[in-house]
Amino acid sequence: MKLFSHICKESDSYTILQTLSNASEFSRLTLRRNQKAWLNEINWDKGRFNQTKKNRVKTIPQKVFQLFQAYLGRISPPDRTLVQETIQIRNEGIRILEAMSHYLEDIKKWSIAANAYVLLRCLRLKSWSDNELSQLQFVGPKVLQKLHNHQIFTLDSFVKVSSTSILDDMGETRLVKAKTQAKSIIDKRIRLRPRLEENGEASCVL
């Protein structure tokens, strides 16, 4: 956790993802020559955080960063090795971010903890989306549109929705699971929000 204890309170998703990509858990990965063209394609054009073509992927942390970008952007790797590595970094990333968010809360870096938790939610759902409803399991574009048609735009309103209003699109079991996840996110937000406000950081996404 030493890497995370030194990042500043203004750290955003880019900085947190960059720090995560430098974790020792990924040090055994290798950067093969035949992977570089695809990784640089993510780096230059297809990723959320694009670099100029002067900045090529040359290191393992840079490779890991692009694999995270591809995963969150739902960009399929071109070969089996990269698929397996993407699954590996996704699983390790979730584990590290879970521990990281708790650790950052313990050392009172509230805004970074909150941003780490947002990134954790994105990894779990394979999506960069900042829309809190779209980050819920089983809430795809069709269900999201129906929720919006019912004036449901927040997690708080979602947990209060009657089962019958969206049952046709989700099913009872999936709706219960999505509501459980929503309540978990709300509980996390309730716990962190007062700390953010105390430190003048309430603008953080939660």
Side-chain angles (χ1 to χ4, degrees):
M1 290 299 168
K2 289 183 179 179
L3 284 172
F4 301 122
S5 64
H6 296 300
I7 55 180
C8 65
K9 70 178 184 179
E10 291 82 11
S11 295
D12 54 12
S13 297
Y14 174 82
T15 306
I16 293 172
L17 191 62
Q18 198 171 44
T19 304
L20 176 63
S21 299
N22 280 274
S24 60
E25 284 83 349
F26 306 127
S27 60
R28 293 186 179 182
L29 294 179
T30 57
L31 177 58
R32 296 178 174 85
R33 183 177 298 177
N34 64 352
Q35 297 174 344
K36 290 184 178 180
W38 181 76
L39 292 168
N40 280 319
E41 189 177 347
I42 307 299
N43 185 33
W44 295 334
D45 300 312
K46 294 185 176 180
R48 180 168 182 168
F49 305 111
N50 292 334
Q51 303 291 326
T52 66
K53 292 195 174 182
K54 292 181 179 179
N55 297 296
R56 295 177 176 270
V57 175
K58 298 178 181 179
T59 66
I60 299 303
Q62 289 173 337
K63 172 182 176 175
V64 173
F65 187 91
Q66 301 313 325
L67 288 179
F68 275 125
Q69 288 216 96
Y71 178 80
L72 290 167
R74 301 190 178 188
I75 303 167
S76 299
D79 61 56
R80 182 178 298 180
T81 299
L82 285 170
V83 169
Q84 293 172 339
E85 289 175 337
T86 300
I87 293 171
Q88 177 187 342
I89 64 111
R90 181 262 184 193
N91 293 340
E92 286 291 342
I94 287 175
R95 184 188 64 79
I96 293 169
L97 285 172
E98 284 176 339
M100 174 186 177
S101 61
H102 291 304
Y103 170 73
L104 291 169
E105 286 182 55
D106 290 340
I107 63 173
K108 304 186 186 308
K109 291 197 173 186
W110 308 112
S111 64
I112 312 175
N115 282 325
Y117 186 65
V118 170
L119 185 57
L120 172 60
R121 284 173 13 211
C122 290
L123 272 182
R124 281 176 171 159
L125 293 170
K126 195 178 180 179
S127 172
W128 274 121
S129 176
D130 295 325
N131 184 300
E132 56 185 12
L133 288 176
S134 68
Q135 290 191 355
L136 293 176
Q137 192 176 19
F138 308 124
V139 176
K142 184 178 179 181
V143 173
L144 185 63
Q145 185 59 56
K146 192 164 187 178
L147 289 172
H148 287 175
N149 291 343
H150 283 79
Q151 302 301 304
I152 299 167
F153 299 100
T154 66
L155 294 177
D156 300 89
S157 58
F158 176 74
V159 297
K160 298 174 184 176
V161 70
S162 63
S163 300
T164 55
S165 64
I166 55 174
L167 184 59
D168 292 341
D169 293 314
M170 292 191 71
E172 187 68 34
T173 301
R174 289 185 172 187
L175 180 59
V176 169
K177 288 182 178 180
K179 282 188 175 184
T180 300
Q181 185 185 17
K183 290 175 182 176
S184 175
I185 295 172
I186 290 170
D187 289 343
K188 181 82 171 183
R189 183 173 62 194
I190 290 172
R191 188 166 75 250
L192 285 179
R193 178 63 65 179
R195 300 294 189 178
L196 293 170
E197 290 175 347
E198 286 175 11
N199 291 274
E201 302 165 3
S203 60
C204 177
V205 178
L206 260 185

